[in-house]
Amino acid sequence: MSSGDEYLSVGKVVSPFGIEGEIAVVPTTDWPERFYDLKHVFIEQQGGPPKEVSVDGCRFHKGRVLLKLRGVENRSEAEKMKGLDLWIPKCEAVPLPEGHCFVGEIIGRRVYTTSGEPLGSVRAILRTGSNDVYVTKTDRGEEILIPATREVVQSLDPRVEVRLLPGLLEACRVPAKRGRKVAHGRRAKRGEEDMLGTEKTCDKVRRMSVKGKARRK
């Protein structure tokens, strides 16, 4: 599946857990608590349509989601799922608050200043400890690292509009010959995620996730 399909990734299976068929999942959603109410997920099948699998149980353990999927009854069967993405239809995505967009909707979007000056297109989104950073490629091949804060990003739809604070453009510009290699479809560097097609969102300030207590269905 890709970001252009009608699905969003909510997690990636990293390992089996225990001997009864549970799988350990790293969330790729800004709402990991959504797993508590997840009734089913879709798993991509090579050469065929995605397979729908019912979710029979969910709990959290050391920052990961432990899922019990119907039909996965032992560790050997759970081991076969390692590395797979878990998907949901876009129509079942968590409703976004006003001013939010999914990451896949921002990548490629044109960036302008509030005065109408074109700056380039969003090439990638980096996640730091405090705020997102929009890696924007100019028409001259330079990169501008725009901090996604309320003071800077004024609008995300239908285009990204930013208010340039004094000295910001010069401080955030990266010359073309020193351009960064941004992760898309490969293992990302620390602080850099390939988030296309995931249930992760963009806002003027990144929404912080809240983990709930464990609960079984």
Side-chain angles (χ1 to χ4, degrees):
M1 297 182 192
S2 69
S3 60
D5 295 318
E6 293 304 311
Y7 294 88
L8 292 171
S9 168
V10 293
K12 178 180 284 291
V13 181
V14 292
S15 68
F17 187 88
I19 61 174
E20 297 183 355
E22 283 185 300
I23 54 175
V25 176
V26 173
T28 55
T29 170
D30 279 341
W31 293 270
E33 65 273 16
R34 62 127 50 246
F35 279 94
Y36 286 138
D37 299 315
L38 207 59
K39 305 299 183 184
H40 59 200
V41 293
F42 288 80
I43 301 172
E44 187 173 10
Q45 297 188 105
Q46 189 172 9
K51 178 183 178 181
E52 181 179 358
V53 181
S54 297
V55 177
D56 288 338
C58 169
R59 59 194 177 105
F60 280 86
H61 179 72
K62 295 183 178 180
R64 293 182 176 176
V65 183
L66 303 183
L67 290 184
K68 182 66 174 68
L69 301 184
R70 189 167 301 175
V72 182
E73 303 299 336
N74 54 56
R75 186 178 181 88
S76 177
E77 292 175 348
E79 182 72 40
K80 296 176 183 178
M81 299 192 64
K82 185 177 180 180
L84 294 180
D85 289 304
L86 304 180
W87 304 82
I88 60 166
K90 282 185 178 179
C91 62
E92 297 180 8
V94 173
L96 297 183
E98 184 178 356
H100 288 63
C101 294
F102 288 117
V103 167
E105 298 173 326
I106 298 298
I107 302 295
R109 192 164 289 187
R110 294 289 291 175
V111 181
Y112 292 82
T113 67
T114 50
S115 61
E117 177 189 356
L119 294 180
S121 300
V122 179
R123 181 176 175 229
I125 297 175
L126 309 183
R127 293 209 147 167
T128 68
S130 56
N131 57 266
D132 291 350
V133 175
Y134 296 169
V135 181
T136 302
K137 188 172 184 178
T138 70
D139 295 335
R140 295 188 298 176
E142 297 177 322
E143 285 185 351
I144 304 172
L145 306 181
I146 299 176
T149 64
R150 284 193 175 92
E151 293 77 18
V152 176
V153 179
Q154 304 300 301
S155 176
L156 293 175
D157 191 25
R159 64 186 188 182
V160 179
E161 289 192 0
V162 299
R163 181 167 67 93
L164 295 180
L165 304 176
L168 177 65
L169 191 59
E170 292 73 20
C172 296
R173 192 184 299 275
V174 180
K177 64 180 180 180
R178 294 173 53 197
R180 306 169 62 262
K181 293 183 179 179
V182 179
H184 284 303
R186 63 168 175 81
R187 186 177 181 87
K189 297 178 182 178
R190 183 178 181 182
E192 184 176 286
E193 298 182 56
D194 184 5
M195 299 180 290
L196 285 173
T198 68
E199 198 183 45
K200 288 185 178 291
T201 63
C202 297
D203 184 18
K204 296 173 187 176
V205 174
R206 175 157 61 96
R207 178 187 186 278
M208 301 304 292
S209 300
V210 178
K211 291 184 174 65
K213 296 181 179 179
R215 185 172 74 194
R216 298 286 292 188
K217 291 186 178 181

